[in-house]
Amino acid sequence: MVWSIPRGLIVLLAGAGGVVVVVGMRAFAGVLAPVFLALMLTVAVQPVQGWVRGRGGPAWLGLLAALATVVGVLVALVAALLFSVAQLGSVLPGYADELGALLDDVRELLANAGISQDRIHSALSQIDVGKVVAAVDGVLGGLLGLVSNLVFVLALLMFMAFDGMTIGPRMAVVTRLRPDIAGAFATFVDGTRSYLVVSTVFGFVVAVLDGAALWLLGVPLPLLWALVSFLTNYIPNIGFVIGVIPPAALALLEGGPGLMLWVIAIYCVINVVIQSIIQPKFVGDAVGLSVTVTFLSLVFWGWVLGALGALLAVPLTLLAKALLLDIDPTTRWVDALISHSGAEPESPETDEAPAPPRAEG
């Protein structure tokens, strides 16, 4: 007598196993997030190694060129961010009088609305410039702590790039033995690179436009807010909402509600048109994920891995899709449900073509 496991029980066991894996990933987020970041950076700079090898350069030169590219970009971003946030920490105390006047206006407005003075005092007493400055100092400390993680990421990147020098022959073996697995990883790599290119290009455009608008409006530290716009562009769907809060708050202190509304309006026009209308079309075509799946991936990976998970939400979803769906031909039909266009997924190509029929002689 042949016993078969009911399909419902299989689904239940798979769901329970998935919960255990997610809980474990969240517990080790401090290690996994830098590992995933190093993996994405390795995928991004792998073409540099291929370009050097294609021009006759040795493998070690391609490795050095790829590492130099990543190190240069990361060091420039971290240095600019540390310098800009340090400037913000020195600028904020100068707005103590403006913040006090703003709180007085709010207190008067609430009193005119019939709210008791005790409740007003209890609510507004929690707002203090000293606490804001302390929060900025905490951000600075967190950024300095990021430097140690950056060293870990660069070490991982070096080892992964070293292994990448021989990835071609190894993938050729995988393609010959397991073409479905090779095709799944190739789809992940191509989608990740396309997503990073699209997000970087649109992020640069958004950063230039936002920074120029803030400079024309006279908002302090426009370069910092442009850098924030560039980084938050990698956060799908809600990145610009996160990026507009700091400059809008500083504009409120600098020029009052009118300047703050101008900043919000300009950000909405620029970022909604580019990030919510134009960019999703290119991202969807590049990675094959629907807008809903992209947003849910942001929520999920941000909850599991924190800030880095939100930044890497789309590449991580592509990796999970490759490992769980694309790797198995029987589950590839799910691509039609989660893809941007709903097109039928292509089967991976194999090295062995079917032999043509032989003519009978």
Side-chain angles (χ1 to χ4, degrees):
M1 183 176 181
V2 179
W3 292 89
S4 61
I5 302 177
R7 185 177 298 273
L9 181 59
I10 295 177
V11 173
L12 183 61
L13 293 176
V19 171
V20 173
V21 171
V22 170
V23 171
M25 292 177 62
R26 193 179 184 193
F28 291 95
V31 176
L32 290 178
V35 170
F36 286 137
L37 176 60
L39 175 63
M40 300 311 160
L41 292 175
T42 302
V43 170
V45 300
Q46 187 66 32
V48 176
Q49 288 183 284
W51 182 81
V52 174
R53 295 294 299 275
R55 292 181 172 266
W60 61 266
L61 183 60
L63 171 64
L64 291 180
L67 288 177
T69 302
V70 175
V71 170
V73 173
L74 290 180
V75 169
L77 284 176
V78 171
L81 196 59
L82 288 174
F83 176 75
S84 299
V85 174
Q87 280 188 316
L88 178 62
S90 63
V91 166
L92 279 181
Y95 288 97
D97 295 337
E98 288 80 358
L99 181 58
L102 179 63
L103 293 179
D104 290 338
D105 294 339
V106 173
R107 186 179 294 108
E108 182 180 356
L109 180 63
L110 293 176
N112 294 333
I115 301 177
S116 65
Q117 292 293 330
D118 293 337
R119 295 179 62 183
I120 295 174
H121 179 75
S122 176
L124 296 182
S125 61
Q126 305 297 326
I127 304 177
D128 184 18
V129 176
K131 294 181 180 180
V132 175
V133 175
V136 172
D137 291 337
V139 172
L140 286 173
L143 290 175
L144 292 176
L146 180 63
V147 175
S148 61
N149 285 335
L150 187 60
V151 174
F152 179 52
V153 169
L154 291 178
L156 284 173
L157 182 64
M158 182 180 66
F159 296 136
M160 290 181 180
F162 184 80
D163 290 336
M165 292 190 299
T166 58
I167 194 63
R170 286 185 286 176
M171 286 305 299
V173 174
V174 176
T175 301
R176 186 175 68 254
L177 299 178
R178 298 295 299 271
D180 291 327
I181 296 178
F185 282 113
T187 301
F188 157 69
V189 170
D190 293 340
T192 298
R193 288 175 183 163
S194 299
Y195 169 75
L196 292 176
V197 169
V198 170
S199 297
T200 301
V201 170
F202 279 98
F204 178 77
V205 172
V206 168
V208 170
L209 294 177
D210 288 343
L214 294 176
W215 178 75
L216 292 175
L217 291 174
V219 178
L221 305 177
L223 292 180
L224 170 61
W225 311 130
L227 181 60
V228 171
S229 295
F230 176 77
L231 294 176
T232 54
N233 187 68
Y234 290 98
I235 303 177
N237 303 113
I238 65 170
F240 94 92
V241 178
I242 300 174
V244 73
I245 294 175
L250 193 58
L252 176 63
L253 297 176
E254 175 70 21
L259 184 59
M260 180 189 69
L261 292 177
W262 271 109
V263 170
I264 295 175
I266 292 176
Y267 261 68
C268 287
V269 172
I270 294 175
N271 293 272
V272 168
V273 171
I274 294 179
Q275 293 180 300
S276 299
I277 298 178
I278 302 177
Q279 184 176 344
K281 175 65 170 61
F282 287 88
V283 171
D285 292 341
V287 304
L289 296 177
S290 66
V291 178
T292 302
V293 172
T294 302
F295 177 73
L296 292 178
S297 69
L298 164 68
V299 176
F300 175 77
W301 291 112
W303 176 74
V304 174
L305 299 178
L308 275 181
L311 286 173
L312 301 175
V314 172
L316 287 174
T317 302
L318 293 177
L319 179 60
K321 175 173 170 287
L323 295 176
L324 299 178
L325 300 179
D326 296 342
I327 207 170
D328 186 357
T330 61
T331 59
R332 210 168 288 146
W333 58 270
V334 182
D335 286 349
L337 300 178
I338 66 175
S339 65
H340 176 68
S341 60
E344 182 179 356
E346 297 181 358
S347 301
E349 297 181 357
T350 61
D351 289 345
E352 299 181 0
R358 293 169 51 182
E360 298 291 339

